[in-house]
Amino acid sequence: MSTQQTIKVQLVRSPIGTKQSHRATVRGLGLRKLNSVSELKDTPEVRGMINKIAYLVKVL
């Protein structure tokens, strides 16, 4: 039983007007509305997704 690290991510800017791939990344992280928060496993894949849309999200 290992404890998995998690990251909380909040959508702080609207993805309207951004690239289609960036909007898909926002949805892939489980974020819908503005200020919605998603708790995700801390993996290299998730970190890469957060890095891609860093201008739209805030890590809590």
Side-chain angles (χ1 to χ4, degrees):
M1 203 157 62
S2 64
T3 57
Q4 182 69 31
Q5 294 288 72
T6 60
I7 298 177
K8 280 189 177 182
V9 182
Q10 180 180 21
L11 186 64
V12 293
R13 285 192 56 195
S14 174
I16 294 173
T18 61
K19 289 182 168 182
Q20 181 69 37
S21 63
H22 290 202
R23 290 195 297 270
T25 303
V26 168
R27 296 292 295 124
L29 289 173
L31 300 170
R32 288 182 169 259
K33 296 181 177 181
L34 216 54
N35 295 319
S36 63
V37 177
S38 184
E39 191 166 348
L40 307 155
K41 291 181 183 176
D42 187 7
T43 63
E45 294 82 5
V46 170
R47 289 212 175 221
M49 291 171 78
I50 292 170
N51 221 14
K52 182 176 182 179
I53 58 165
Y55 64 101
L56 297 174
V57 297
K58 177 171 67 172
V59 177
L60 302 174

